[in-house]
Amino acid sequence: MGAGCFFHCENTSDCVYFKGMADKDFTVLDLLDMDLKEHNSLNLKCAYGRRGLVRTITIPDLNRPGLALSGFFESFAYQRVQVFGRGEVAYLNKLIDEGNLDNIRKLFTYEIPCCVFTHALPVPQVVADIAEEAGCVILCTDLESTEFSTRLLRVFTNIFAPKRTIHGVLVEVFGVGIILIGDSGVGKSETALELIERGHRLVADDIVELRCVNGNTVLGRGANKIISHHMEIRGLGIINVEQLYGVGAIREQKEVQLVVKLEEWDTNKIYDRLGTDQKTMEMLGVNIPLLEIPVKPGRNVPIIIETAAMNERLKSMGYHSARDFNLNVLKWIESSEAQSAYYGGDDSY
């Protein structure tokens, strides 16, 4: 993917440009090699058909092949991971006992990514032989079908989510995920360092990977886990935030809920002083609230960002300070005009 505009905003000069990173094909072997723990673990093991480990998974979904085993192959979703639960395995054994293997053989003529047998169910040897011959891998898990399906779809949501990278700093301030963007040298890292000193948390510095989950949530994390919690401070060098401030000062990922653009103070530019008009920035199809904060000597930017985070939390709870202020002013004006008309009018009638 070539260079292109990552963010969309009203003024094209405010767009941040990036160079996209092409995602490699996701194979069955990649699924097996994923380091998933506890409630995310799929507990998968390769039982047969190791030649099929190089097959790619192109559709982030799964299929229960009961209809195909019965001979109905119209609209057969063979591109998906095929899950064999208790019902499918019982039907397989019934077909094998009857000597009816045609539908099983036809099933494996399709380019299936892989088959997964749940509940630690044994794979019938006949099925194993057919799969080996077709080069289709068969995986086994001790999870129940419903639980495995839920976990697999959650994994697919993360793997196949739209991704982009951006130069910036992602921090968590009072529980709000804030990404700091701006020109190089404007003070993004220094501002984030002051926020960490004040008890907030760093998610990623310099290169932030963004993923759109469920079509309406943008999650951010470090593009490289090894360096994501390191910061480059001009004049000081590279520092390790986790070692300096402890594990409480870092976080692996966070939803992006606010974009703060730091820029040099421009005397010719009119900055928002009321906050009634909310600007937004489009990230991967999701509109995120945007604040443009001018930087100059004497302005305490970290405190401004803290206030912005608390104000954003108030907005999420239904209280909008600027709009309420505007309504109160209008009520006061209307009330004053009414009093003036009442006391200053002609009362001879």
Side-chain angles (χ1 to χ4, degrees):
M1 184 182 300
C5 183
F6 179 19
F7 297 124
H8 173 73
C9 38
E10 295 176 0
N11 189 347
T12 54
S13 64
D14 292 336
C15 292
V16 180
Y17 285 81
F18 76 104
K19 186 176 181 180
M21 300 174 61
D23 295 327
K24 70 181 186 67
D25 292 336
F26 184 73
T27 66
V28 180
L29 183 60
D30 293 328
L31 181 64
L32 278 175
D33 287 343
M34 292 188 68
D35 185 19
L36 303 173
K37 295 182 173 62
E38 299 178 356
H39 63 281
N40 290 319
S41 177
L42 299 175
N43 300 344
L44 286 173
K45 295 181 180 179
C46 181
Y48 301 98
R50 293 184 178 275
R51 287 189 297 125
L53 289 174
V54 296
R55 290 190 176 184
T56 59
I57 300 175
T58 57
I59 296 182
D61 206 345
L62 51 86
N63 182 59
R64 303 292 290 269
L67 286 174
L69 291 174
S70 66
F72 185 78
F73 284 92
E74 294 182 24
S75 301
F76 175 42
Y78 66 90
Q79 306 97 329
R80 305 178 184 181
V81 173
Q82 306 297 312
V83 178
F84 289 76
R86 295 186 188 276
E88 288 80 8
V89 173
Y91 192 59
L92 277 175
N93 290 324
K94 179 177 180 297
L95 293 176
I96 294 170
D97 292 339
E98 295 174 353
N100 185 5
L101 305 180
D102 293 341
N103 291 336
I104 300 177
R105 289 196 176 95
K106 186 175 180 179
L107 178 77
F108 284 97
T109 60
Y110 290 85
E111 194 72 13
I112 296 171
C114 66
C115 298
V116 180
F117 282 68
T118 60
H119 297 87
L121 294 169
V123 181
Q125 190 59 47
V126 175
V127 177
D129 294 339
I130 296 175
E132 286 277 7
E133 182 181 353
C136 180
V137 64
I138 294 183
L139 309 177
C140 293
T141 179
D142 57 355
L143 297 175
E144 297 181 356
S145 299
T146 303
E147 181 64 22
F148 172 77
S149 300
T150 301
R151 296 187 185 189
L152 182 63
L153 291 176
R154 188 162 60 232
V155 169
F156 282 165
T157 298
N158 291 325
I159 293 297
F160 289 89
K163 298 178 184 178
R164 293 292 185 271
T165 57
I166 177 180
H167 291 286
V169 184
L170 180 58
V171 291
E172 182 192 58
V173 181
F174 295 129
V176 179
I178 301 177
I179 189 164
L180 308 177
I181 63 174
D183 295 335
S184 179
V186 77
K188 300 185 294 295
S189 296
E190 290 79 0
T191 301
L193 185 61
E194 175 63 23
L195 289 171
I196 295 167
E197 182 71 31
R198 297 172 67 88
H200 306 293
R201 296 197 282 184
L202 172 71
V203 181
D205 179 58
D206 193 24
I207 302 178
V208 183
E209 179 187 85
L210 301 177
R211 295 176 296 122
C212 181
V213 179
N214 299 326
N216 58 2
T217 302
V218 177
L219 297 179
R221 64 182 180 184
N224 188 320
K225 291 184 178 181
I226 299 176
I227 64 174
S228 61
H229 296 139
H230 291 70
M231 298 184 71
E232 176 192 353
I233 306 298
R234 285 175 172 79
L236 181 61
I238 303 296
I239 64 172
N240 188 326
V241 174
E242 181 179 1
Q243 294 294 328
L244 282 175
Y245 296 95
V247 294
I250 63 172
R251 180 165 180 165
E252 293 300 322
Q253 73 173 5
K254 177 64 182 176
E255 178 185 354
V256 179
Q257 299 160 286
L258 181 64
V259 179
V260 173
K261 182 181 180 183
L262 302 180
E263 60 181 41
E264 297 289 345
W265 190 291
D266 185 357
T267 56
N268 297 320
K269 184 175 180 178
I270 300 176
Y271 294 100
D272 187 8
R273 300 182 63 179
L274 296 178
T276 53
D277 297 328
Q278 179 67 70
K279 293 184 178 180
T280 60
M281 183 173 282
E282 183 182 328
M283 291 185 172
L284 297 171
V286 181
N287 290 324
I288 309 294
L290 167 68
L291 292 179
E292 295 176 337
I293 297 181
V295 178
K296 73 174 183 178
R299 299 205 84 199
N300 195 324
V301 178
I303 289 183
I304 295 175
I305 293 176
E306 283 185 333
T307 306
M310 290 187 288
N311 193 45
E312 195 63 30
R313 292 191 64 179
L314 280 176
K315 290 179 182 178
S316 67
M317 292 185 287
Y319 179 79
H320 198 297
S321 303
R323 291 177 184 172
D324 285 357
F325 173 78
N326 190 40
L327 290 175
N328 290 334
V329 170
L330 291 175
K331 289 180 181 178
W332 177 77
I333 293 174
E334 292 175 355
S335 177
S336 299
E337 291 177 349
Q339 292 179 7
S340 176
Y342 179 80
Y343 291 109
D346 186 2
D347 57 354
S348 59
Y349 289 94

